[in-house]
Amino acid sequence: MKRFIFWQLFVAAVFMTTNSQAQSLKDLFNKGNIEKAVNAVTGKNTADMTGTWSFTGSAIEFESDNLLQKAGGAVAATTAEKKLDEQLAKVGIRAGQMTFTFNADSTFCAKLGQKNMKGSYSYNASTHKVNLKFAKLIGMNAKMNCTSDNMDLLFESDKLLKLITFLSSKSSNATLKSIGSLADSYDGMMLGFSLRKQ
């Protein structure tokens, strides 16, 4: 049984690194790729989300492989991420400009530029969802994919639009409509933020 699990992890690691264009065996067996492989096989997040996480770019996930194939596969996902990055940049959400700090006492702080917004969070390990409650915003559920170094927070498109409007004073109706139409064009897609631990 242990040998079978090892081979599952090994095969998952190979496929995960192939997708991210790993260049060597060193890349194949680095900590991040091992954690991704474990997540893929076990369906579990392996890391604690406490700490400060900095925005590195958009994150997109299709709700099923079937939807991903219908949308055109990895090319569609890459195109959608690029478009979302462009729209987020218009409202001031760029790499290094936004952080989330999750504390062990279930409080968090989101910072965008000079703006700080505090709230509380709860994590459901069985669904891999985190509920974020800002002081002036109704709680929002996000799917969380987390390793020790990287985290994706993924929202349903309408929830992401509400969050962007709340976080950014620069959000315009045109930008929000662009993000909304992007989500509509890829039905079954979750949108969000890719973060790296500081």
Side-chain angles (χ1 to χ4, degrees), residues 108-170:
F108 75 94
C109 178
K111 183 176 181 182
L112 179 58
Q114 299 302 312
K115 190 174 180 182
N116 286 299
M117 293 130 300
K118 296 184 178 181
S120 61
Y121 73 95
S122 60
Y123 176 65
N124 184 328
S126 63
T127 62
H128 305 297
K129 291 199 174 173
V130 61
N131 183 268
L132 305 174
K133 290 183 181 175
F134 289 92
K136 297 179 182 178
L137 192 65
I138 296 171
M140 305 183 70
N141 285 323
K143 182 180 177 188
M144 183 191 75
N145 299 326
C146 186
T147 66
S148 59
D149 297 323
N150 298 289
M151 180 194 322
D152 288 346
L153 288 177
L154 297 154
F155 303 86
E156 292 176 5
S157 57
D158 60 328
K159 302 291 185 195
L160 181 66
L161 293 177
K162 285 181 185 176
L163 181 59
I164 290 170
T165 304
F166 178 72
L167 291 175
S168 175
S169 56
K170 298 178 185 176

Side-chain angles (χ1 to χ4, degrees), residues 61-64 67-68 70-71 157 181-190:
E61 184 175 295
F62 286 84
E63 292 175 1
S64 75
L67 285 169
L68 178 61
K70 282 183 182 177
S157 57
S181 63
L182 172 66
D184 290 342
S185 64
Y186 296 104
D187 190 30
M189 182 174 68
M190 297 186 77

Side-chain angles (χ1 to χ4, degrees), residues 48-120:
D48 185 0
M49 66 188 290
T50 56
T52 298
W53 302 81
S54 181
F55 176 78
T56 59
S58 62
I60 289 178
E61 184 175 295
F62 286 84
E63 292 175 1
S64 75
D65 289 338
N66 189 33
L67 285 169
L68 178 61
Q69 288 172 354
K70 282 183 182 177
V75 174
T78 302
T79 302
E81 278 184 358
K82 185 178 177 185
K83 288 180 181 177
L84 183 56
D85 278 336
E86 290 169 1
Q87 297 306 319
L88 292 175
K90 289 180 182 178
V91 295
I93 300 175
R94 297 179 185 87
Q97 294 295 310
M98 181 174 70
T99 60
F100 284 86
T101 301
F102 294 97
N103 303 309
D105 65 356
S106 295
T107 61
F108 75 94
C109 178
K111 183 176 181 182
L112 179 58
Q114 299 302 312
K115 190 174 180 182
N116 286 299
M117 293 130 300
K118 296 184 178 181
S120 61

Side-chain angles (χ1 to χ4, degrees), residues 3-16:
R3 186 175 288 178
F4 176 71
I5 291 172
F6 169 79
W7 282 111
Q8 277 188 310
L9 289 173
F10 179 76
V11 170
V14 168
F15 284 116
M16 297 294 283

